[in-house]
Amino acid sequence: MKIFAIVFASLFAFLAIVDSPSTPAASRTLITDVTIVSPENLDHIEKGNVLIEDGRIVSVERKAGTPKPVGATVVSGKGQFLIPGLIDSHVHLASVPGMSYEQADSKPGMIKEYFRQLPLSYLYYGYTAVVDLAVVDHKVLEHFREAPLHPDLYDCGESLPFANGYPMSFLPPTARFKFFPNFIYDPKQASSIPSEYKPEDHTPAMDVARVKASGGICVKSYFERGFAQDRNLPVIGPDVLADIRKSATQADLVLMMHANSFEAQKFAVAGNVDVIAHGMWNWGDLDGKTELPQEIKTLLDQIVEKKIGYQPTIQVMQGLRAYFDPEYLKIEAIPKVIPKEMLEWFNSPAGKWFKKELDDDETPDAAMLEMYERGPLRRVRQVVAYLASKDADFVFGTDTPSSPTYGNLPGSNGYLEMQQLQKAGLSLTQIFKAATISNARKFKIDSQLGTIEPGKIADLVLLEKSPLESLDAYDTIVTVWVHGKPVSRDSLAVNSNK
Ligand SMILES: [Zn+2]
């Protein structure tokens, strides 16, 4: 008898231990009396209660007076708005804004602090999920995932540039293959590909298989002939794209294509990609046309018909423009999302090095602003306005940072991109859906994210204003729930004494 008693006693002790992490206080929360703004249900926006348990949404009641479950922590959302966590489906976590690799290497303390703050800055603006499009440093991603608080991180593994094409062309010939080991072999360039890389290891099928094996949810390739001093870069042909498409479909991966010109987007549409990863700011021979040309409209109609996801990433251009805008570094949000020391460096003469790269003949700032405004920004806005009028399948992505620019900072860049989308003609509803349900569906993560529905991860954002009434609602965040854990917005800012 004694033995049984001991066994039972220890069994109960074991159960008690197993049970203790889910004791009520920490794991059950009822958000009451809140206006529930969920993108699948915008016709019936009502006040109600949302119950969270163990990091998941358990129930959503669009009526008053749900009884409080035993042990639940009650959070009143009276007068406030609850939305699903936002998704940014185009980020580059390993790239440090405003710095070259050498500069970043020379300031390890500042960089360490930047990377510590990075996940918090996304959360500060309500981004609870991000997709890294081109993994170049697995350690940075691991570090991000290990941070005590961080957005969910998905990735496209290592990207598939064409041999010696964009963006591997930016690196010296000796370094570029090591940095982009998942490149696509081009038999025509055999003499300029190091012999240790075998053609049979660098087919689209092998490259896509490596992405799949690494846990990627998407595949990224490029069609970019280049700009500035790197023009006439080699690009993939339709046969290679067809092979990537076939392999991506078989592996159930989302196919994304870097394409920002009329030619590149035509190529992407003909090859049936899933997402075009930029707006069209380059119209080639049609650049000077002031009205949107009919041939471009025809292509945009196909993008709408085929339901190809479209990421305007207007902040790519705004990010370059920032070096000529004396107001940019004064934006109030900036000291909240990057370390103080880094902002001081951006404000110093050394921190403006990239400005010289953008403007090597010292064109006055006002003329540079005018050039962006009349050229690429005007063109991308016209394209986006047309797509918005046809209710295209926009997916929200910022491309943070798109180049070594300080004009694309984590978190705040999302808020700026939303402002650009609104300026270009998207409605508040289109912006809201692009950053929630449309991203979740396009990237096939909608069983977990994108709406406020039972069973989904409890990534939620509480706002003082409705995002369907004004865009600045996204800057009135009170609380962010990350897998059910509540975090006040203030505690996510730089130097918040957390
Ligand atoms: Zn990008």
Side-chain angles (χ1 to χ4, degrees), residues 321 369-375 377-378 381 423:
R321 185 193 175 281
L369 290 177
E370 185 73 12
M371 190 206 79
Y372 285 111
E373 211 52 48
R374 286 198 178 179
L377 279 165
R378 169 188 61 84
R381 284 182 189 130
K423 193 171 175 185

Side-chain angles (χ1 to χ4, degrees), residues 269-306:
V269 170
N272 293 310
V273 305
D274 297 307
V275 177
I276 292 177
H278 289 298
M280 190 202 298
W281 45 73
N282 176 355
W283 296 356
D285 295 342
L286 303 169
D287 268 357
K289 299 267 186 238
T290 50
E291 299 288 318
L292 189 62
Q294 186 51 51
E295 49 267 67
I296 294 183
K297 285 185 186 167
T298 305
L299 177 67
L300 299 178
D301 288 339
Q302 289 177 34
I303 291 173
V304 175
E305 266 163 46
K306 291 186 169 186

Side-chain angles (χ1 to χ4, degrees), residues 90 92 220 278 399:
H90 190 155
H92 299 282
K220 177 164 185 216
H278 289 298
D399 196 8

Side-chain angles (χ1 to χ4, degrees), residues 193-212:
I193 300 172
S195 58
E196 67 258 44
Y197 300 99
K198 304 293 171 219
E200 61 271 24
D201 294 335
H202 293 275
T203 60
M206 291 294 278
D207 289 350
V208 170
R210 274 188 288 267
V211 171
K212 183 72 179 177

Side-chain angles (χ1 to χ4, degrees), residues 90-92 133-134 166 220 222 258 277-278 311 313 316 398-403:
H90 190 155
V91 304
H92 299 282
L133 255 57
Y166 177 90
K220 177 164 185 216
Y222 306 83
H258 164 102
H278 289 298
Q311 293 180 329
T313 67
V316 172
T398 56
D399 196 8
T400 303
S402 56
S403 60

Side-chain angles (χ1 to χ4, degrees), residues 291-490:
E291 299 288 318
L292 189 62
Q294 186 51 51
E295 49 267 67
I296 294 183
K297 285 185 186 167
T298 305
L299 177 67
L300 299 178
D301 288 339
Q302 289 177 34
I303 291 173
V304 175
E305 266 163 46
K306 291 186 169 186
K307 297 192 190 315
I308 293 175
Y310 203 87
Q311 293 180 329
T313 67
I314 303 175
Q315 274 299 116
V316 172
M317 283 299 137
Q318 288 289 116
L320 304 177
R321 185 193 175 281
Y323 284 90
F324 309 96
D325 175 1
E327 299 307 308
Y328 172 74
L329 283 177
K330 296 178 193 158
I331 293 175
E332 249 177 87
I334 292 181
K336 311 222 186 240
V337 298
I338 56 161
K340 186 165 173 264
E341 194 194 340
M342 196 168 188
L343 178 54
E344 281 167 5
W345 188 76
F346 290 162
N347 273 308
S348 75
K352 310 269 187 224
W353 68 280
F354 192 54
K355 181 176 183 176
K356 294 190 193 80
E357 308 247 324
L358 296 171
D359 178 18
D360 51 4
D361 59 358
E362 290 178 44
T363 306
D365 288 2
M368 288 298 287
L369 290 177
E370 185 73 12
M371 190 206 79
Y372 285 111
E373 211 52 48
R374 286 198 178 179
L377 279 165
R378 169 188 61 84
R379 291 189 290 267
V380 71
R381 284 182 189 130
Q382 282 172 288
V383 164
V384 170
Y386 185 82
L387 288 172
S389 75
K390 305 275 170 172
D391 210 16
D393 199 0
F394 288 104
V395 289
F396 183 84
T398 56
D399 196 8
T400 303
S402 56
S403 60
T405 175
Y406 63 43
N408 294 163
L409 299 173
S412 66
N413 206 39
Y415 186 45
L416 294 175
E417 176 70 12
M418 286 184 170
Q419 291 170 27
Q420 289 301 320
L421 294 176
Q422 187 181 37
K423 193 171 175 185
L426 266 76
S427 68
L428 290 167
T429 302
Q430 284 174 317
I431 293 170
F432 179 60
K433 286 187 167 176
T436 54
I437 196 168
S438 303
N439 254 339
R441 284 182 180 157
K442 192 56 80 178
F443 287 86
K444 302 175 186 172
I445 46 179
D446 53 319
S447 66
Q448 305 296 318
L449 303 174
T451 62
I452 305 178
E453 290 179 286
K456 295 205 181 182
I457 295 172
D459 284 346
L460 299 163
V461 182
L462 186 65
L463 306 168
E464 277 171 15
K465 292 188 187 176
S466 168
L468 303 180
E469 280 165 30
S470 68
L471 195 80
D472 64 2
Y474 293 104
D475 203 19
T476 67
I477 295 173
V478 181
T479 306
V480 182
W481 279 269
V482 185
H483 283 242
K485 183 178 163 55
V487 193
S488 76
R489 189 190 199 196
D490 291 342

